[in-house]
């Protein structure tokens, strides 16, 4: 299968997020244990896990873009969700600025929106392939 430029770009972005998720998880498990409180460490773990789940969802969406351009929205929503959900939890863990917790649910809504767009794409696929 030949990937379009758009698929290559978004595939690379989603894969980089998966890489960051693994690195962050390892750092949390080995580097942060002695530095941050247990509650903060739980936030870090949640951020790492959700980033991976949605990075993999983004990679799936990139592959599905060969069927329908509609799936591009899923990878965009997952990426923005990773930035806001996981990003806010990572920063909150390191700084203990709990006000950032107000941003986290926005990222969660973006995650849900990405999954919803993916769901709709299965029921109403378009034949406009992304080039």
């Amino acid at each position: 299968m030949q990937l379009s430029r758009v698929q290559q770009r978004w595939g690379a972005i989603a894969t980089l997020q998966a890489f960051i998720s693994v690195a962050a998880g390892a750092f949390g498990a080995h580097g942060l244990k002695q530095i941050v409180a247990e509650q903060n460490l739980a936030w870090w773990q949640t951020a790492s896990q959700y980033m991976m789940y949605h990075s993999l969802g983004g990679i799936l969406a990139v592959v599905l873009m060969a069927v329908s351009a509609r799936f591009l929205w899923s990878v965009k929503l997952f990426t923005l969700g990773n930035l806001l959900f996981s990003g806010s939890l990572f920063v909150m863990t390191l700084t203990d600025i709990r006000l950032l917790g107000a941003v986290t649910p926005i990222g969660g809504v973006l995650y849900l929106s990405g999954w919803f767009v993916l769901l709709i794409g299965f029921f109403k696929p378009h034949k406009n392939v992304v080039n």
Side-chain angles (χ1 to χ4, degrees):
M1 170 171 83
Q2 180 75 21
L3 296 178
S4 71
R5 288 181 127 164
V6 173
Q7 286 174 294
Q8 289 173 343
R9 184 178 322 117
W10 283 102
I13 290 168
T15 303
L16 177 61
Q17 291 173 73
F19 176 89
I20 291 168
S21 171
V22 172
F27 178 64
H30 302 289
L32 286 179
K33 265 190 176 171
Q34 307 302 323
I35 300 172
V36 299
E38 193 171 321
Q39 172 61 51
N40 295 41
L41 200 56
W43 295 335
W44 190 274
Q45 182 66 28
T46 298
S48 298
Q49 287 176 341
Y50 273 70
M51 180 177 260
M52 179 56 78
Y53 301 149
H54 294 89
S55 299
L56 293 174
I59 292 168
L60 172 63
V62 166
V63 171
L64 290 170
M65 285 166 54
V67 175
S68 172
R70 176 179 298 198
F71 293 111
L72 175 61
W73 279 103
S74 288
V75 70
K76 287 180 177 182
L77 289 165
F78 290 151
T79 298
L80 191 53
N82 276 340
L83 181 67
L84 295 179
F85 183 91
S86 294
S88 65
L89 289 177
F90 286 143
V91 173
M92 207 165 77
T93 298
L94 297 173
T95 65
D96 209 27
I97 300 173
R98 297 188 181 231
L99 182 63
L100 291 171
V103 175
T104 309
I106 298 168
V109 169
L110 291 168
Y111 284 157
L112 291 169
S113 300
W115 289 114
F116 185 74
V117 169
L118 200 65
L119 174 68
I120 297 300
F122 282 108
F123 289 108
K124 194 174 182 184
H126 290 138
K127 293 296 180 188
N128 58 332
V129 178
V130 176
N131 290 320

